[in-house]
Amino acid sequence: MRVMAQMAMVMNLDKCIGCHTCSVTCKQAWTNRTGTEYVWFNNVETRPGQGYPRTYEDQERWQGGWTLNRRGRLTLRSGSRLRKLFTIFSNPKMPAIDDYYEPWTYDYETLTNAPLQEHTPVARPKSLISGDDMKIRWSANWDDDLAGAPELAPADPVLTAIRDKVSEKVRLEFEKTFMFYLPRICEHCLNPACAASCPSGAIYKRAEDGIVLVDQDRCRGWRMCVTGCPYKKVYFNHRTGKAEKCTFCFPRVEVGIPTVCSETCVGRLRYIGLVLYDADRVLAAASTKDDTDLYRAQREVFLDPHDPAVIGAAERAGIPRDWIDAAQRSPVWALINKFEVALPLHPEYRTMPMVWYIPPLSPVVDVVRETGEDAEAAGNLFGAIDALRIPVEYLAELFTAGDPAPVNAVLRRLAAMRSYMRDINLGREPDDSVPAAVGMDGETVHEMFRLLAIAKYDERYVIPAAHAEQAHALEELATECSLDYEGGPGMGGSGPFGESSGGVTPLAVENFHLLKERQTADDVTPLRSRVNLLNWDANGGTEGLFPARPAEGAADIDDPGAEAVPRPQGPTDAAGPTGAGR
Amino acid sequence: MTPRPIDIVLWVVIPYLCLAVFVLGHVWRYRYDKFGWTTRSSQMYERRLLRWGSPLFHFGILAVFFGHVMGLGVPKSWTEAVGMSEALYHFLAVTVGAVAGVCTVVGLAILIYRRRTVGPVFRATTRMDKTMYVFLSAVILLGLWNTVASNIFGHYDYRDGVSVWFRGIFRFDLHPELMTQAPLGFQIHAMLAMLLFALWPFTRLVHVFSAPIGYLWRPYVVYRSRESRIGSRAPQRGWERVGSGDRP
């Protein structure tokens, strides 16, 4: 057993309102640069729909992910290593910019520069790729809320997959009645096909938290990762010629705060936590013969963080104690294994994805409600789940490689929770037969309700900080000048070769800890000798910002005759007129 | 015959300067511009022409490279020692060389046409790219011309001339006079190639040295520890973490 920790996410699709706040904040944080205009580390798709880039799920066409070869061994669907090297000069399976969309801006200058004329001048769209005028034909969420669904939705690869199973008539009816949102980020897979496709070895999985990252200094722009990723979540920066992907906001997660998309999620539908897994079993699980067994196989790779044997092995593997604690409190682990309501996205790609989803019950509820029946009654919902084959088939195609049984079970659990808690909220006697029908008890349903519906911030996000503190302190010792004590010759924070020479403190870590220290401190602590203007907040005076005043200035202040009234203590005197504070 | 000063400048000083810039330039670029070290692929913008042009050019130029290794790197005495006759060598060099050369030139033509006519690709072309294209095309065209011309208009055996001079550069056994005696086409080809070498580290051509051969042997999934590079730099000497390197 080789225990490894994985930072993972679960999204509760019932709560997604499709507001795209996660996409926008993510974009502002990470990809608002030239060359990444079309890059959405986080995007929200309307389902049924073609997704982004268009029809990315059609692996017959895009050849992403893994497959089993004739001997039953796991191999990249797009071909062997040798084949990749031979197609390196022109990757035959790479999406072009048109498969995403052509990014554009507007010629705003015309609005102010245009001569006086009868008609209001118009800011024309200009392509950010060619610089020419263009006609906007597509964007990242062009088919939002089923826009154009009659023409566009039939090309949804998931619909195509279930077309054999469901008749045309039912399919069209379903397009009118059934819709949900699917927010997507990088899956940070246990068996990442993008990393396996990278000829340079620039994409790596972090040993500590399993986050998959691209080393920008090692990437040589061979573009094989774009093909390799079946979720098409590695993007090619067309200006820098480097691959970029979702980073799971690692600078934030390292200090224990959730990703930008989670933090800003209006519906509070995202859960972040650790999952412990056995790295030695990943390959065997990913090589499971039947696609429909992959969901079960992946769950078997996960390790129970409460099992003493696992805890022991984790400690021997160097996983810190607070990480094991966090794994035990992990909402992700609870949703996947305790409540068994979270499912992986497209397990049939065999990458062992680590962003899981709670399938939406709301389409079923909506249908029941439209019939005029009680849409919260367990019996009605159970019956509807069994009767409404289409939503279940569709969800199964997304989350369980087409096997409806696990989806059915999850939806029944959600329905049971809804019905059971409704009784409690209305002050009725709770019906314990309802949870029993789905293999749960009242207490577990309560717990699940708390996690899903109350969804407290610190229960949704259980993120142990990375163990950088100690190394960081060592770093400070090693880099700060030994004469840099109060009043010492090195005071002022200059490095050995003048201002700001010497080592660099990682900015994210420094900012976070300094701000936290100051915002939560009881008294105003003076600034340390070295002042970073980026996080200076005027608290604690300006000492260190300017060189010390010459002696006569100090004498003025300290002269007892010049100041009869005692100077007030505390923060108010921090920024005195001399600028030197106290 | 003692070489004239101009010959020494052309065929000794300039080659050494260019090769020094080539080596040191790559070291400098690798140390200070790893981020800029990329193929700068434009496949996102256009793939129809690239589909043909790029493999034609790249496989062609690889064959041309190996041809040069044979022609410039392997002394005539060696091929004769393994029993390869002059006629056979010549036949192979001309046929394989011509096929590779034509592939390269056709590929290059497609790529340049694409670069000029496809708007987004042209927009992404830097001044350095254009300079590089001029030198690269000139070297390739002259090379092909030499292969053809030296067979049609009189015979020149570069293995007794240019090759000896080229190997001499690396063995400090200098023969500038051999270049003076070579046909003008070979002289210009060699000189432009030297200038291209000097230009090399400052262009996108550096991607040649990232040919990912190691991919064939490395494990599929690369794991890397976060601790080895906390923040933005490597740990300093004396502060290696316990359990890393020589500290148990």
Side-chain angles (χ1 to χ4, degrees):
Chain A
M1 178 158 47
R2 188 157 59 98
V3 185
M4 292 186 92
Q6 168 79 38
M7 199 60 82
M9 189 184 282
V10 169
M11 301 192 210
N12 182 2
L13 295 184
D14 252 337
K15 295 168 99 179
C16 184
I17 57 170
C19 65
H20 299 273
T21 307
C22 46
S23 306
V24 171
T25 50
C26 172
K27 187 138 191 72
Q28 287 296 343
W30 290 105
T31 57
N32 59 350
R33 293 165 281 134
T34 329
T36 59
E37 306 92 349
Y38 79 102
V39 175
W40 295 86
F41 289 168
N42 183 107
N43 72 306
V44 183
E45 290 163 7
T46 303
R47 285 319 182 94
Q50 299 187 6
Y52 183 75
R54 264 172 278 182
T55 70
Y56 71 92
E57 285 154 307
D58 182 358
Q59 303 308 340
E60 293 295 315
R61 179 173 175 207
W62 298 114
Q63 304 278 307
W66 302 86
T67 184
L68 294 180
N69 65 13
R70 267 162 297 170
R71 285 172 296 153
R73 289 189 42 190
L74 197 65
T75 171
L76 287 170
R77 191 188 268 269
S78 53
S80 67
R81 299 171 193 243
L82 208 56
R83 189 191 156 95
K84 283 200 177 295
L85 289 195
F86 274 109
T87 53
I88 207 164
F89 301 126
S90 167
N91 180 350
K93 295 293 175 192
M94 185 189 168
I97 195 75
D98 295 331
D99 294 306
Y100 300 93
Y101 64 95
E102 193 170 347
W104 71 90
T105 183
Y106 291 95
D107 177 20
Y108 294 109
E109 213 181 6
T110 333
L111 300 183
T112 52
N113 284 358
L116 188 62
Q117 52 191 291
E118 190 183 346
H119 301 289
T120 316
V122 174
R124 286 210 198 122
K126 296 266 185 197
S127 166
L128 285 169
I129 298 288
S130 66
D132 302 331
D133 282 338
M134 64 172 278
K135 184 165 163 49
I136 300 166
R137 293 171 198 281
W138 197 260
S139 82
N141 59 343
W142 200 251
D143 53 353
D144 207 26
D145 289 348
L146 294 184
E151 296 88 51
L152 299 173
D156 178 349
V158 178
L159 271 190
T160 322
I162 60 170
R163 192 164 288 165
D164 303 336
K165 304 172 192 167
V166 187
S167 74
E168 192 76 3
K169 182 174 145 287
V170 184
R171 190 176 63 76
L172 288 173
E173 188 187 339
F174 142 68
E175 277 161 17
K176 276 183 285 179
T177 58
F178 179 50
M179 174 189 106
F180 65 95
Y181 301 103
L182 183 72
R184 293 200 306 126
I185 64 169
C186 164
E187 296 281 344
H188 297 279
C189 307
L190 299 185
N191 183 32
C194 58
S197 310
C198 174
S200 315
I203 303 189
Y204 62 98
K205 194 166 176 64
R206 288 214 304 198
E208 288 82 8
D209 50 16
I211 295 177
V212 179
L213 294 171
V214 185
D215 184 338
Q216 292 286 304
D217 277 350
R218 280 212 198 175
C219 173
R220 302 283 174 254
W222 300 122
R223 323 173 294 291
M224 289 298 165
C225 50
V226 182
T227 309
C229 175
Y231 303 95
K232 292 291 169 277
K233 275 293 174 191
V234 187
Y235 297 88
F236 187 74
N237 181 326
H238 60 89
R239 280 279 171 234
T240 61
K242 304 263 173 171
E244 293 191 25
K245 64 180 287 301
C246 158
T247 63
F248 212 85
C249 288
F250 71 89
R252 292 171 59 89
V253 167
E254 275 175 14
V255 293
I257 48 180
T259 62
V260 169
C261 54
S262 308
E263 181 81 86
T264 59
C265 177
V266 175
R268 304 199 290 185
L269 58 96
R270 295 185 189 227
Y271 297 81
I272 298 178
L274 281 181
V275 175
L276 300 183
Y277 70 100
D278 185 353
D280 286 337
R281 295 215 304 253
V282 170
L283 182 63
S287 311
T288 305
K289 197 157 165 282
D290 267 337
D291 280 355
T292 46
D293 285 338
L294 280 160
Y295 160 60
R296 184 188 46 76
Q298 185 170 1
R299 275 184 49 190
E300 282 169 6
V301 171
F302 300 153
L303 297 170
D304 182 356
H306 301 281
D307 180 350
V310 171
I311 296 175
E315 278 174 347
R316 280 192 297 281
I319 297 176
R321 184 65 224 188
D322 59 333
W323 277 53
I324 298 174
D325 287 343
Q328 290 172 346
R329 288 185 294 122
S330 166
V332 173
W333 166 259
L335 292 169
I336 291 176
N337 252 36
K338 188 174 176 195
F339 308 126
E340 294 181 34
V341 288
L343 301 171
L345 180 64
H346 289 302
E348 72 273 21
Y349 298 161
R350 297 176 183 273
T351 61
M352 305 269 120
M354 285 310 292
V355 174
W356 288 38
Y357 293 89
I358 302 174
L361 179 67
S362 42
V364 178
V365 178
D366 290 346
V367 172
V368 177
R369 187 173 292 128
E370 274 164 27
T371 61
E373 299 288 328
D374 178 1
E376 310 263 286
N380 288 348
L381 284 174
F382 288 167
I385 292 167
D386 292 338
L388 288 172
R389 276 188 51 218
I390 311 101
V392 175
E393 296 267 4
Y394 191 92
L395 294 170
E397 210 58 56
L398 275 183
F399 299 121
T400 53
D403 179 11
V407 175
N408 233 314
V410 172
L411 294 183
R412 287 170 67 91
R413 288 191 162 203
L414 295 175
M417 180 184 81
R418 199 176 256 263
S419 161
Y420 184 76
M421 292 311 296
R422 199 258 307 248
D423 282 347
I424 291 176
N425 284 337
L426 295 181
R428 295 187 202 146
E429 190 61 32
D431 180 2
D432 280 322
S433 71
V434 173
V438 294
M440 297 174 95
D441 57 40
E443 199 175 328
T444 321
V445 171
H446 257 288
E447 265 181 69
M448 184 162 99
F449 172 77
R450 185 175 165 82
L451 190 56
L452 290 184
I454 311 286
K456 287 288 185 193
Y457 187 89
D458 38 1
E459 288 172 25
R460 265 182 292 140
Y461 309 127
V462 180
I463 307 168
H467 280 264
E469 305 97 343
Q470 201 189 356
H472 182 57
L474 292 176
E475 208 171 31
E476 296 273 301
L477 265 178
T479 53
E480 256 173 349
C481 177
S482 55
L483 298 175
D484 206 3
Y485 55 86
E486 192 68 26
M491 201 186 126
S494 292
F497 304 109
E499 191 62 48
S500 74
S501 72
V504 192
T505 314
L507 199 62
V509 177
E510 183 189 67
N511 278 356
F512 178 77
H513 284 297
L514 270 182
L515 282 177
K516 190 174 170 188
E517 215 170 88
R518 249 186 264 151
Q519 286 164 354
T520 56
D522 290 332
D523 54 343
V524 180
T525 43
L527 287 170
R528 294 180 313 162
S529 57
R530 190 186 289 185
V531 177
N532 182 349
L533 272 177
L534 288 175
N535 57 27
W536 181 67
D537 59 1
N539 276 336
T542 53
E543 204 161 1
L545 276 187
F546 306 104
R549 300 268 297 191
E552 67 268 25
D556 280 346
I557 295 171
D558 292 340
D559 182 4
E563 193 165 19
V565 186
R567 283 153 59 83
Q569 299 294 313
T572 47
D573 72 340
T578 59
R582 278 173 51 81
Chain B
M1 167 188 149
T2 48
R4 293 168 299 160
I6 181 72
D7 297 334
I8 293 185
V9 169
L10 283 178
W11 307 117
V12 176
V13 176
I14 291 184
Y16 274 119
L17 278 178
C18 290
L19 291 175
V21 171
F22 181 79
V23 173
L24 296 176
H26 276 104
V27 172
W28 170 82
R29 178 98 188 258
Y30 189 74
R31 289 188 59 165
Y32 293 102
D33 186 29
K34 275 191 201 136
F35 182 66
W37 194 294
T38 150
T39 54
R40 295 233 328 278
S41 162
S42 54
Q43 190 179 344
M44 284 229 69
Y45 300 140
E46 199 279 342
R47 56 181 163 185
R48 204 174 45 83
L49 288 167
L50 188 83
R51 182 97 192 81
W52 286 99
S54 182
L56 264 178
F57 170 75
H58 281 96
F59 286 118
I61 200 89
L62 277 174
V64 167
F65 169 75
F66 287 115
H68 277 69
V69 171
M70 274 296 288
L72 293 178
V74 179
K76 202 171 184 178
S77 54
W78 293 15
T79 49
E80 279 166 2
V82 296
M84 187 186 264
S85 72
E86 174 66 28
L88 178 64
Y89 177 89
H90 189 71
F91 172 76
L92 279 178
V94 169
T95 48
V96 178
V99 171
V102 168
C103 284
T104 311
V105 169
V106 171
L108 186 69
I110 297 177
L111 288 180
I112 291 180
Y113 170 78
R114 167 178 182 272
R115 200 152 271 283
R116 184 64 195 86
T117 54
V118 179
V121 182
F122 188 56
R123 235 165 80 101
T125 309
T126 65
R127 205 179 301 158
M128 209 57 189
D129 287 343
K130 291 175 193 164
T131 319
M132 183 273 288
Y133 269 110
V134 169
F135 277 86
L136 188 67
S137 323
V139 172
I140 289 172
L141 287 173
L142 269 167
L144 190 61
W145 167 253
N146 286 340
T147 310
V148 176
S150 67
N151 285 297
I152 299 173
F153 317 113
H155 184 69
Y156 169 71
D157 189 355
Y158 55 83
R159 292 212 294 164
D160 289 329
V162 181
S163 302
V164 178
W165 162 78
F166 185 76
R167 285 197 300 273
I169 293 177
F170 300 96
R171 295 162 49 201
F172 301 104
D173 173 19
L174 305 166
H175 294 288
E177 75 283 355
L178 288 176
M179 279 313 289
T180 330
Q181 291 153 13
L184 188 64
F186 280 87
Q187 290 189 9
I188 304 178
H189 176 71
M191 182 50 64
L192 285 178
M194 283 299 162
L195 294 177
L196 182 65
F197 285 147
L199 206 59
W200 199 292
F202 314 104
T203 64
R204 67 199 321 187
L205 290 182
V206 292
H207 76 264
V208 169
F209 293 97
S210 321
I213 306 299
Y215 180 57
L216 294 174
W217 294 281
R218 72 141 221 260
Y220 260 139
V221 178
V222 181
Y223 288 91
R224 257 209 251 168
S225 187
R226 196 179 62 82
E227 278 150 318
S228 62
R229 293 167 131 229
I230 281 170
S232 49
R233 67 207 172 90
Q236 307 211 328
R237 255 176 73 80
W239 292 101
E240 289 94 351
R241 288 173 66 86
V242 174
S244 71
D246 54 352
R247 294 182 176 198

